[in-house]
């Protein structure tokens, strides 16, 4: 299931990039004008492991470590991790990953028109606090089964 946080928009069409769900890759209709965004670990406790990409093995996470699109993160029991999502100069939001959780940063893109964030939560719980999400941007969380709670909204 996929949930999206959008400001005053029901559907957002990004003309230069199309997500191909079956292969999990990005297919380009035209040459995109985009840059990668990141998630920086700002706090952690307990056992937190990261996998930078499919070519690397799991390793212990460190405060200040920067994760980009395709990175995976998992927390052990009695563990948690806090991250800031954005670019090197601006923050788009805050992410807290609870104990015994696993997620993939499937998409972290800054496109010519807006930003696209897709977090694939395999198991566990996350808390997301986004800053203003412009109408041409998308912030999505994908889970195999979903229980979602929303506390307050400011538009």
């Amino acid at each position: 299931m996929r949930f999206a946080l959008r400001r005053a928009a029901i559907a957002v069409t990004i003309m230069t990039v199309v997500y191909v769900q079956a292969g999990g890759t990005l297919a380009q209709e035209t040459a995109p004008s985009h840059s990668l965004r990141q998630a920086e670990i700002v706090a952690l406790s307990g056992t937190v492991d990261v996998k930078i990409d499919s070519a690397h093995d799991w390793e212990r996470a460190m405060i200040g470590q920067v994760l980009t699109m395709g990175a995976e993160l998992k927390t052990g029991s009695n563990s948690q991790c806090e991250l800031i999502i954005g670019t090197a100069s601006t923050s788009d939001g805050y992410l807290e990953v609870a104990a015994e959780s696993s997620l993939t940063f499937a998409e972290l893109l800054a496109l010519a028109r807006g930003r696209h964030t897709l977090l694939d939560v395999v198991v566990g719980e996350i808390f997301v606090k986004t800053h203003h999400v412009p109408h041409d941007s998308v912030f999505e969380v994908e889970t195999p089964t979903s229980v979602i709670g929303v506390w307050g909204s400011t538009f």
Side-chain angles (χ1 to χ4, degrees):
M1 301 182 106
R2 189 178 277 186
F3 293 93
L5 300 172
R6 294 182 182 96
R7 181 176 179 257
I10 295 173
V12 174
T13 303
I14 298 174
M15 300 308 289
T16 58
V17 179
V18 177
Y19 182 71
V20 181
Q21 190 170 10
T25 60
L26 292 176
Q28 300 173 0
E29 290 180 4
T30 61
S33 172
H34 71 272
S35 60
L36 295 179
R37 294 167 50 247
Q38 63 189 27
E40 181 180 351
I41 298 173
V42 294
L44 58 80
S45 64
T47 304
V48 179
D49 294 319
V50 295
K51 188 174 183 181
I52 303 304
D53 58 35
S54 60
H56 289 83
D57 293 327
W58 288 97
E59 59 186 49
R60 289 281 185 240
M62 298 179 292
I63 292 176
Q65 186 169 16
V66 174
L67 305 176
T68 57
M69 190 166 69
E72 299 175 54
L73 183 139
K74 65 181 177 180
T75 55
S77 60
N78 299 316
S79 303
Q80 72 173 26
C81 184
E82 298 173 14
L83 303 101
I84 299 293
I85 299 174
T87 63
S89 61
T90 61
S91 168
D92 295 339
Y94 166 85
L95 172 66
E96 184 177 310
V97 183
E100 298 181 358
S101 297
S102 177
L103 69 98
T104 300
F105 296 92
E107 292 183 12
L108 290 171
L109 297 171
L111 304 170
R113 299 178 76 196
R115 299 179 299 265
H116 193 186
T117 303
L118 173 59
L119 305 176
D120 184 5
V121 181
V122 179
V123 65
E125 297 177 20
I126 64 169
F127 172 80
V128 178
K129 181 177 181 180
T130 62
H131 300 300
H132 172 75
V133 178
H135 72 279
D136 57 354
S137 295
V138 179
F139 193 105
E140 297 176 305
V141 176
E142 187 171 88
T143 67
T145 60
S146 296
V147 175
I148 188 168
V150 177
W151 294 276
S153 297
T154 304
F155 296 100

